[in-house]
Amino acid sequence: MIDNKPFLNKLNPVTKLILMIIPTVIVSFSYDLYVPISFFLLILILGSILGQIKILTLLRKMIKFILVGISFSFFILATRALTNDGLNQEIIITAISLCFRIMVFSLTSLLFVLTTDPNEFALSLIHQLKLSHKIVYPFLVAYRFIPTFQDELEKIILAKEVRGLSSNKGFFSNFINLPKYILPLLTSAVRKGERISMSMESRGFGLYEDRTYYSLTSIKGQDYKALIIFSMISIFILIIGINYGLINFNLGLVIN
Amino acid sequence: MALKTKNLYFTYLNQESPVLNDISVSFEGNKIYLLLGPSGGGKSSLVNILAGIIPNNIKGETKGNLSFDGKSILEEESYERANKTGYIMQDADTQFCTYKVEDELVFGLENLKFSKEEMEKRINYVLDILGIEHLRYRALNTLSGGQKQKIAIASVLVLDPPIIIFDEPTANLDPVTSKEIFQIIKMLKENYNKTIIIIEHKLDYLIEYVDYIFVFSSNGYIVNEGTPKNVFEDLIYSESSPSFHYPKIIDIWKSLKLPYNDISFDINEAGKYLGKRYNYIENSTEETVQADQNKFLSVSNISYRINDKQIINDLTFGINKGDFLAIVGPNGAGKSTLGGILLNLYKDYKGEVLIDDKSIKSYKRSDLWKKAGLVFQNPEWQFVSYSVKEELEYSLKDSNLSKEEKEEKIDQCLERFKLLEFKDSNPYLLSQGQKRRLSVATMLVTGQDLLILDEPTYGQDYDNQVELLEYMSALNSNGMTIIMITHDMDAVVKYCNKVLILKDGSSIYFGDNKDLFKDNCILKEANLLKPIYSDVLDKMNSNHTKIPTNIEGFIESLKEKE
């Protein structure tokens, strides 16, 4: 097979995990506009090029998170405006900064999910992070069923609707009725879980403490390269920011 | 290599009576063993014991013994048996634990610590004998139902167990694909020396390969065993029908009063035999074509897409009051979506649906659902309360009846569906058959004219299936219009009068079910099989242009040769 996968897909999942953690940590401590916005743009552009995904596609897929970020910022501004504190420039900047922070988190997670084969991720957790396969595989299997359950939930909502139980009668009634949607989903999850573990065990899962692997994941030259280059770019961004006084780091809680 | 049980009993935890009683069976050599009997009769419990799931994972009390090659293995965990017994269940999707075909195939091999070279060898070998090399690098979720089941078989076969257990392997598959799976099973027995143990309901195309049958009673005893010919002999002379599926060739023998000794489960042989004795004289009376009356339901040019996928594509058809329409077609053809559209569950479709000459969009939704009900594939999805009685009360919540009238109506309805004794039970705790009856009852208590059923016989045992279909048929005779989404062609032939075949969202056939089997191309395109008697008829070498709609019609048209 010719390996023509995008660069991000070829990276070891553990490398990508570290690449995710670097901007997450940096952005978490910043309350200015410069750091989260520049990291957001940097990751958006790098992710689009190296993962061969259109920028618009990425933005469309994270639309929900963008909305969460915006409403979160508005919430902060609104509570400040309504209390005695009032609004000032500092709090507006902080709110926008928080919004971009959420967007950086969701963008990195999105890129990770879009470019990572779950099986490969599981293997790299076993090989590189030395986690036990007996822990990793059950999670891998559970993850496999997420789309199935989404699909099932959609059908359950329609099925109830035909009975006259509508799902859009407001938050309170939805909350009361929640168990009626969850219960059938739960019974189906238990049944599926039982079956899959039967199937795994009957194929020898758990027989030995260890197992062999058909394909191995390893940390290669490209992984080191990616880590070094990305760290350097991050430092570069920070140095520019410090030089021009654009950075406001705070290790404590900001809204006090 | 033999797998044997001796005086085996099993009682599930917290239950009083054993589900298996005094079972002494032996499975060995390259043979296919079929387990028959009513559901709850212990077939699945037995195969779970053989595969090591019971008593290690599912708890209960066992008595007696299970041995492999003379060595007792009852206490052996299921993972310790991976190289003795392979286990394949009905829903391939819930057996996969990875995302790609290759990963799934190596899963068992990795657990048993094979070297990479050995894995490579075994994968290539198994892909080759199943003829599925081209699927090796595919993602599992892009495969069809039949392909998935083949991968499930392959993922067990790489471990090379001498015994392979199948628990209803074709339950979710269309007729043609089911036949393919049976061919594979036969090949495993004949060419690869496997011992096969199988629970299966679709017997017409499997029975000719079966060597030995065990028949279970509903209380978990083995009441009959032997070759197919021996086991089914009792049936042919008994007046009552059995409570399990049996090959339909027996019905032909029974109605023609042919000597049982001559019976053959091989369709070819049976056809030749009948051809020697009978001429097939076609009934020449033309059926009167019913003029199109006022259509009760009329669908014109509807199209529906979700994201970029065309689910329904320019579909037009109409049915009259009192019709019993079957919607068939491969998985993913858009059948369930169509059911939803007819009840106005999806709004952004193009085209028009009229019920009683009125667009469904002009009905108030709650009014529409008083006219037409939809029973979903899984009855649990539709439960809205925590007792059987409340379920029906909920359906009547908008009616103008007084409290007493409602009570009376609910009791009547529960009685009709044989649920009265469970009035206060939790719907989730009913049996599969009871759940299904309840879901139908909740749809009918408000007096609907149209009932849409999405795979009503799915996951039901034989008794329940027959009962439900008979009940639907009775409702239909009383004037109710019914639309049934199904894979079960026998039911289509027996109960329905109109058929719509969907493929990729388009209609490839709509019309009378009498004409359906004329066209081999359509059947092939839709992965459907003719009913067994028409296969027999083909083998009789008679010149016929029409295929009788049911087995009775077929029998009537046979005239003994001089």
Side-chain angles (χ1 to χ4, degrees):
Chain A
M1 275 205 314
I2 314 154
D3 200 4
N4 52 2
K5 285 190 286 188
F7 179 76
L8 277 185
N9 297 52
K10 283 192 281 191
L11 281 184
N12 186 300
V14 169
T15 309
K16 278 185 268 186
L17 217 51
I18 301 172
L19 288 178
M20 258 175 84
I21 292 171
I22 296 173
T24 305
V25 171
I26 296 176
V27 169
S28 295
F29 293 124
S30 90
Y31 291 91
D32 50 71
L33 291 177
Y34 169 75
V35 171
I37 292 180
S38 50
F39 270 98
F40 179 74
L41 293 177
L42 172 73
I43 297 166
L44 190 64
I45 292 162
L46 280 182
S48 163
I49 296 168
L50 300 176
Q52 290 175 19
I53 310 165
K54 287 197 187 95
I55 287 186
L56 268 178
T57 317
L58 282 174
L59 289 176
R60 211 173 45 218
K61 286 195 190 255
M62 51 184 293
I63 190 88
K64 275 183 193 161
F65 300 99
I66 296 178
L67 289 177
V68 168
I70 292 174
S71 42
F72 185 59
S73 317
F74 263 104
F75 180 72
I76 293 174
L77 292 177
T79 45
R80 288 294 284 228
L82 293 174
T83 54
N84 299 332
D85 302 333
L87 290 174
N88 53 33
Q89 197 190 359
E90 193 192 354
I91 193 69
I92 293 174
I93 288 175
T94 309
I96 298 172
S97 168
L98 282 174
C99 173
F100 272 93
R101 194 190 286 187
I102 292 172
M103 279 159 65
V104 169
F105 297 160
S106 52
L107 179 62
T108 50
S109 321
L110 180 69
L111 279 170
F112 184 82
V113 171
L114 289 181
T115 62
T116 308
D117 171 1
N119 207 59
E120 217 174 276
F121 182 38
L123 285 178
S124 69
L125 288 179
I126 295 167
H127 295 315
Q128 271 73 51
L129 296 187
K130 308 293 173 208
L131 292 177
S132 159
H133 70 273
K134 287 186 183 171
I135 295 172
V136 173
Y137 267 88
F139 277 107
L140 180 70
V141 169
Y143 185 70
R144 214 185 95 80
F145 280 98
I146 292 175
T148 317
F149 289 134
Q150 266 169 348
D151 193 48
E152 220 159 88
L153 183 63
E154 272 166 34
K155 283 185 186 154
I156 290 172
I157 290 173
L158 288 179
K160 304 276 190 212
E161 217 173 314
V162 177
R163 291 294 314 276
L165 185 69
S166 177
S167 61
N168 41 23
K169 276 196 180 150
F171 178 76
F172 189 65
S173 100
N174 276 355
F175 189 73
I176 299 265
N177 287 326
L178 203 59
K180 294 177 185 170
Y181 294 92
I182 301 289
L183 200 57
L185 209 56
L186 217 58
T187 54
S188 140
V190 170
R191 271 182 220 129
K192 289 197 170 81
E194 231 168 36
R195 281 192 159 244
I196 184 78
S197 56
M198 272 157 75
S199 160
M200 285 168 75
E201 281 206 13
S202 69
R203 283 183 283 158
F205 187 74
L207 180 58
Y208 300 112
E209 277 308 304
D210 58 340
R211 65 206 289 276
T212 52
Y213 292 94
Y214 180 73
S215 45
L216 297 169
T217 55
S218 58
I219 302 277
K220 297 190 202 90
Q222 59 183 19
D223 293 293
Y224 293 118
K225 250 186 253 167
L227 283 172
I228 292 170
I229 294 174
F230 190 75
S231 309
M232 281 166 67
I233 298 176
S234 303
I235 293 170
F236 182 70
I237 289 176
L238 292 180
I239 289 175
I240 292 184
I242 292 168
N243 270 332
Y244 289 90
L246 295 168
I247 291 184
N248 171 19
F249 269 159
N250 192 336
L251 299 179
L253 279 170
V254 76
I255 313 161
N256 43 21
Chain B
M1 270 180 264
L3 187 63
K4 282 183 183 164
T5 70
K6 202 162 175 234
N7 308 111
L8 190 69
Y9 291 80
F10 179 71
T11 315
Y12 281 103
L13 204 65
N14 300 330
Q15 289 202 347
E16 278 173 22
S17 47
V19 64
L20 290 173
N21 279 300
D22 199 20
I23 305 293
S24 298
V25 290
S26 170
F27 306 101
E28 58 192 314
N30 49 342
K31 289 205 175 86
I32 296 181
Y33 293 89
L34 173 69
L35 309 184
L36 281 182
S39 98
K43 301 180 308 257
S44 287
S45 305
L46 179 62
V47 298
N48 275 339
I49 290 180
L50 299 179
I53 312 282
I54 293 177
N56 301 307
N57 278 23
I58 300 174
K59 299 290 175 200
E61 197 194 318
T62 32
K63 267 200 303 189
N65 194 22
L66 170 70
S67 67
F68 183 78
D69 265 350
K71 216 179 107 211
S72 172
I73 57 165
L74 192 58
E75 299 299 317
E76 215 176 66
E77 297 279 353
S78 106
Y79 49 75
E80 295 173 275
R81 294 188 204 173
N83 50 5
K84 300 185 186 99
T85 52
Y87 191 16
I88 292 150
M89 291 166 276
Q90 50 174 269
D91 188 359
D93 248 331
T94 57
Q95 296 172 62
F96 295 145
C97 45
T98 62
Y99 294 79
K100 286 193 210 134
V101 171
E102 194 181 59
D103 293 335
E104 193 62 34
L105 296 185
V106 296
F107 178 76
L109 294 167
E110 292 176 333
N111 292 332
L112 299 189
K113 301 219 283 189
F114 282 99
S115 69
K116 190 171 175 179
E117 293 70 41
E118 181 66 21
M119 290 192 218
E120 188 67 45
K121 219 170 81 192
R122 288 191 175 210
I123 294 171
N124 286 329
Y125 177 69
V126 166
L127 288 174
D128 179 51
I129 64 175
L130 295 179
I132 47 173
E133 293 97 332
H134 58 290
L135 301 180
R136 177 165 182 164
Y137 301 106
R138 292 272 295 274
L140 289 166
N141 60 8
T142 63
L143 303 181
S144 72
Q147 289 171 330
K148 280 180 185 164
Q149 195 57 284
K150 283 180 198 167
I151 299 303
I153 295 174
S155 73
V156 161
L157 220 50
V158 287
L159 303 176
D160 199 25
I163 292 163
I164 303 182
I165 301 165
F166 291 90
D167 190 351
E168 297 191 43
T170 68
N172 299 329
L173 303 179
D174 59 53
V176 170
T177 316
S178 305
K179 212 172 157 184
E180 262 177 59
I181 298 291
F182 296 149
Q183 297 287 349
I184 288 177
I185 292 173
K186 171 200 170 210
M187 174 191 79
L188 292 178
K189 161 189 120 168
E190 287 179 355
N191 305 354
Y192 300 96
N193 257 328
K194 300 291 179 197
T195 305
I196 310 281
I197 302 167
I198 182 169
I199 300 176
E200 180 56 68
H201 293 321
K202 297 177 191 166
L203 297 181
D204 284 333
Y205 293 96
L206 172 67
I207 199 72
E208 57 181 299
Y209 312 132
V210 171
D211 298 284
Y212 205 81
I213 299 178
F214 292 105
V215 182
F216 288 71
S217 67
S218 56
N219 52 359
Y221 287 90
I222 288 184
V223 286
N224 198 353
E225 62 177 282
T227 61
K229 211 165 167 173
N230 287 336
V231 164
F232 292 124
E233 187 167 9
D234 293 349
L235 286 186
I236 210 155
Y237 299 117
S238 79
E239 281 299 303
S240 61
S241 342
S243 56
F244 50 84
H245 293 253
Y246 58 94
K248 262 164 243 83
I249 204 99
I250 292 194
D251 279 336
I252 298 178
W253 244 253
K254 201 169 170 176
S255 332
L256 292 170
K257 300 199 168 58
L258 290 167
Y260 185 74
N261 249 339
D262 297 342
I263 200 166
S264 168
F265 294 109
D266 181 329
I267 308 301
N268 247 318
E269 296 295 318
K272 276 189 209 150
Y273 177 84
L274 289 175
K276 275 185 211 144
R277 290 190 154 216
Y278 294 95
N279 283 322
Y280 181 75
I281 313 285
E282 216 150 24
N283 205 339
S284 58
T285 51
E286 277 298 310
E287 313 257 341
T288 46
V289 183
Q290 280 190 347
D292 263 7
Q293 318 142 346
N294 285 339
K295 290 270 183 247
F296 173 58
L297 168 76
S298 119
V299 170
S300 33
N301 308 98
I302 57 167
S303 294
Y304 181 66
R305 51 195 310 146
I306 299 176
N307 300 331
D308 295 329
K309 204 171 167 236
Q310 191 79 35
I311 310 286
I312 301 285
N313 191 7
D314 197 22
L315 189 64
T316 300
F317 69 94
I319 55 173
N320 300 322
K321 229 181 173 92
D323 272 342
F324 197 150
L325 171 74
I327 302 180
V328 294
N331 292 341
K335 305 185 296 286
S336 297
T337 311
L338 175 61
I341 287 178
L342 298 182
L343 278 196
N344 210 8
L345 286 180
Y346 305 102
K347 296 196 183 81
D348 339 312
Y349 59 88
K350 286 185 202 135
E352 196 166 40
V353 180
L354 303 175
I355 289 183
D356 267 347
D357 288 326
K358 221 173 115 183
S359 164
I360 56 168
K361 282 181 176 161
S362 67
Y363 281 95
K364 238 175 81 183
R365 284 177 124 198
S366 55
D367 285 342
L368 179 66
W369 297 334
K370 271 179 207 149
K371 250 185 149 45
L374 172 60
V375 179
F376 277 67
Q377 211 178 75
N378 182 343
E380 289 179 0
W381 292 348
Q382 272 176 303
F383 293 154
V384 292
S385 70
Y386 306 105
S387 89
V388 170
K389 187 177 149 224
E390 283 172 41
E391 281 298 316
L392 295 180
E393 274 173 358
Y394 194 88
S395 294
L396 290 170
K397 69 180 174 5
D398 294 331
S399 83
N400 305 322
L401 300 173
S402 71
K403 201 164 179 277
E404 290 74 33
E405 282 171 319
K406 277 186 188 172
E407 286 276 333
E408 202 188 311
K409 202 162 184 180
I410 288 170
D411 282 355
Q412 274 174 6
C413 189
L414 286 177
E415 178 139 32
R416 211 158 44 130
F417 285 91
K418 290 191 275 180
L419 289 168
L420 198 54
E421 54 178 312
F422 304 104
K423 199 169 166 180
D424 299 312
S425 310
N426 187 319
Y428 286 91
L429 299 178
L430 299 174
S431 75
Q432 280 302 316
Q434 291 159 350
K435 278 181 193 162
R436 174 66 66 189
R437 289 206 297 273
L438 177 60
S439 67
V440 175
T442 58
M443 281 297 145
L444 293 181
V445 69
T446 40
Q448 275 88 342
D449 302 321
L450 169 68
L451 185 63
I452 303 173
L453 301 147
D454 195 348
E455 301 207 30
T457 54
Y458 179 82
Q460 304 265 304
D461 64 35
Y462 183 70
D463 274 352
N464 282 325
Q465 278 185 20
V466 172
E467 193 185 78
L468 188 77
L469 287 167
E470 288 292 341
Y471 190 74
M472 288 304 125
S473 179
L475 282 174
N476 180 241
S477 320
N478 286 334
M480 161 118 32
T481 312
I482 299 178
I483 297 177
M484 177 167 78
I485 296 167
T486 186
H487 279 302
D488 182 353
M489 286 314 282
D490 291 321
V492 173
V493 171
K494 195 162 174 194
Y495 299 103
C496 304
N497 69 333
K498 294 245 170 70
V499 185
L500 170 68
I501 304 181
L502 283 187
K503 197 187 179 190
D504 300 329
S506 305
S507 156
I508 56 172
Y509 178 88
F510 174 70
D512 224 85
N513 84 347
K514 292 191 180 66
D515 307 319
L516 171 64
F517 299 108
K518 270 185 194 165
D519 195 335
N520 279 322
C521 298
I522 288 174
L523 291 174
K524 212 169 157 190
E525 204 182 335
N527 262 13
L528 296 170
L529 287 174
K530 294 179 192 177
I532 191 97
Y533 56 81
S534 75
D535 247 3
V536 172
L537 184 55
D538 285 343
K539 302 289 183 300
M540 285 175 64
N541 275 329
S542 72
N543 294 317
H544 56 276
T545 52
K546 266 198 309 194
I547 289 164
T549 29
N550 52 34
I551 200 154
E552 289 80 16
F554 168 68
I555 303 286
E556 268 169 34
S557 306
L558 292 180
K559 298 288 175 290
E560 226 163 314
K561 283 183 177 167
E562 295 303 314

